[in-house]
Structure formats: structure tokens, C-alpha cells
Amino acid sequence: MKTYTTKGAQPESQIGSALDSLAHTIHGRRSAGEASYTYRLLTGDLDTLLKKLVEEAHETTLAAKDVATLDAVAAENPAAVTDEARSAEVDHLRYEAGDVVYHLMVLLERCGISLDEFAAELNSRMTDDEIALREGVVMLKPEHINRGHHEEK
């Protein structure tokens, strides 16, 4: 297992807690000043942030391809790929995915989209039956659901 938990009460959702904490930190960086990388992304040229987000997404796809390549080699010859080699590639994929999430969250903060609003967007993509399995689900009001600026004709 690659993870451990610190002392204290565990949150109901580790990912939810991590994203909440990161969103709070990013929001706080709005007043951090030029020495802060996040501040510069929040207040500087938008294209700089967008290019970084695309770069990190691309690096994530390359890391995923590296994992898939190792898996294909291992399928043909299991002895050719060590657990350590695959683990290192998976670790790299996880790292790059973290960069994508961080830069996406900076973009959301910059554009004034809260984590709850983003969660509502994700929830709006579920079926009514899937939503019914959970309680207290945040949802977008119908007039705010926008699928790529396309208008129905």
C-alpha cells in the first residue's frame, strides 16, 4: 500500500477533504503576492495558466501511455517488467494527474467557480437513479446547465 493516514479523525472522504483544503489554499493565494506561483497564475496572463494546464494534461497522457506500454510488455513477457518499474510509472502518472487537478482548480478559482458548483456540474452528469443513491447531493439549477454553449434548435 502506498498511502498512510495521519493521526486524528479521518474525514468521510479523503479526496473531498483534499480538494476542499486545496481549494481553500488556492483561494488564500489571491493575496499572497508575486512570490507565490499560484498568485501569479490567478492574477497574471490567462494564457500562461491555460498553457500550463494543457502542458500538464499532455504530460498526464504521456505518463498513462508509459504505464500502458509497460503493461503490454508484461502481458507478452511477465519477467520483462518488474513491480518496481511499473510502480514508478504509476507514481509518475499520479504526480502528473495531481498537477492537472491543481492547475484546473486554479483556473476554476480564477473564474469564480466554487468547488461546490463544480461538484454540482459533475453531479448533473449522473442519472436520476445514480443521484437517488446519495443524500444531500448538490445540483445545478436547470437554467445553469450549459453543454458547451450549444443552443437547442
Side-chain angles (χ1 to χ4, degrees):
M1 178 175 236
K2 293 185 179 185
T3 63
Y4 69 95
T5 54
T6 59
K7 292 181 182 177
Q10 299 302 306
E12 183 177 323
S13 166
Q14 289 289 346
I15 190 67
S17 178
L19 293 174
D20 280 342
S21 181
L22 180 58
H24 179 77
T25 298
I26 290 169
H27 180 77
R29 294 292 195 267
R30 283 190 171 276
S31 59
E34 286 294 325
S36 166
Y37 173 67
T38 303
Y39 172 86
R40 293 191 309 275
L41 292 175
L42 288 168
T43 62
D45 180 44
L46 177 60
D47 283 347
T48 299
L49 172 55
L50 298 177
K51 288 174 186 174
K52 191 63 179 174
L53 180 57
V54 169
E55 173 192 325
E56 297 301 346
H58 181 67
E59 290 175 1
T60 302
T61 63
L62 294 176
K65 291 292 281 185
D66 289 344
V67 171
T69 298
L70 274 184
D71 288 348
V73 169
E76 292 291 321
N77 180 5
V81 178
T82 66
D83 289 343
E84 293 79 18
R86 186 175 191 286
S87 181
E89 293 299 338
V90 169
D91 290 349
H92 183 231
L93 172 57
R94 184 186 62 247
Y95 174 83
E96 296 298 347
D99 279 348
V100 170
V101 170
Y102 163 77
H103 287 91
L104 176 61
M105 289 183 65
V106 172
L107 179 62
L108 295 175
E109 170 67 26
R110 182 176 174 139
C111 294
I113 300 171
S114 72
L115 207 52
D116 280 348
E117 189 176 334
F118 186 56
E121 175 62 42
L122 296 175
N123 289 334
S124 75
R125 296 161 188 242
M126 295 182 190
T127 66
D128 290 341
D129 289 341
E130 291 166 331
I131 291 168
L133 296 173
R134 298 166 41 215
E135 294 181 358
V137 176
V138 63
M139 299 296 295
L140 287 174
K141 294 178 181 176
E143 64 269 23
H144 295 289
I145 296 175
N146 184 342
R147 298 293 172 243
H149 297 293
H150 300 293
E151 292 186 26
E152 298 285 328
K153 296 190 184 210

